[in-house]
Amino acid sequence: MKEKTIDYVLRATWMAVSKMYNEEAGKAGSTMSTGFALLSIDPENGTPSTSLGPKMGMEATSLSRILKTMEDKGLILRKKNPKDGRSVLIYLTDFGREMREYSKKVVLRFDEAVKENVSEEDLKTFTEVANTILNLISEKKIYKEEIKIE
């Protein structure tokens, strides 16, 4: 295939973004996944652990590993949910709030750099295309029928 597929462009771009975020997070002794988790936790009220996985688009086992590491590093605290003793709420520690601010600055700087180099119209088109792709996937409109191997 001479022409790059949409899949290739998406994957290559995400891999570059992921690498960039991991390099920045590494400067603060963190990872992109940890930063993403920090940004997904409500800094005031905490977040139920059960809603964190879907919010981040992660499987429970991967999320459990990240949360364990975050707890070991003193970024979060787990407390029983006072409204439902079976569930756990995740809260940020003071250090977790500091690292959340760092992660937020990294993400906002990326947004700023892209907006400085891409027109508002092109960004709007990009967002529309990305949302269309997400909808095609979530509504299972791409692989309705099995692809036959011949």
Side-chain angles (χ1 to χ4, degrees):
M1 295 190 317
K2 289 184 181 185
E3 191 176 317
K4 290 181 181 172
T5 62
I6 295 164
D7 167 74
Y8 174 85
V9 173
L10 286 171
R11 197 168 6 99
T13 302
W14 177 246
M15 288 174 71
V17 169
S18 180
K19 183 179 179 197
M20 174 196 67
Y21 277 152
N22 272 314
E23 286 172 2
E24 286 304 306
K27 293 174 184 177
S30 191
T31 66
M32 179 189 75
S33 297
T34 297
F36 189 30
L38 289 168
L39 292 170
S40 300
I41 297 169
D42 184 315
E44 303 305 319
N45 305 310
T47 299
S49 58
T50 52
S51 70
L52 204 50
K55 195 174 190 180
M56 294 175 61
M58 293 184 88
E59 297 295 324
T61 50
S62 299
L63 182 60
S64 292
R65 265 195 314 274
I66 291 168
L67 293 177
K68 172 82 173 101
T69 301
M70 291 173 72
E71 195 171 30
D72 291 346
K73 289 184 175 185
L75 295 165
I76 60 167
L77 295 171
R78 298 183 209 217
K79 296 181 183 176
K80 281 194 175 184
N81 187 339
K83 295 177 184 171
D84 176 6
R86 297 170 297 165
S87 70
V88 173
L89 292 173
I90 309 293
Y91 291 94
L92 297 175
T93 63
D94 288 341
F95 180 48
R97 288 176 200 274
E98 279 178 45
M99 290 301 288
R100 184 181 195 278
E101 280 307 306
Y102 175 79
S103 298
K104 189 174 175 181
K105 286 178 185 173
V106 169
V107 170
L108 292 176
R109 176 63 193 119
F110 172 74
D111 268 22
E112 187 181 299
V114 172
K115 287 175 181 176
E116 287 171 2
N117 290 279
V118 179
S119 74
E120 194 174 321
E121 184 181 340
D122 284 351
L123 275 175
K124 184 177 181 221
T125 301
F126 169 79
T127 302
E128 288 170 358
V129 170
N131 284 329
T132 299
I133 292 169
L134 282 170
N135 288 335
L136 286 169
I137 293 167
S138 67
E139 294 172 13
K140 301 195 183 306
K141 290 185 175 178
I142 297 174
Y143 299 111
K144 294 180 214 171
E145 300 166 18
E146 271 189 53
I147 297 173
K148 294 186 173 135
I149 302 171
E150 295 180 28

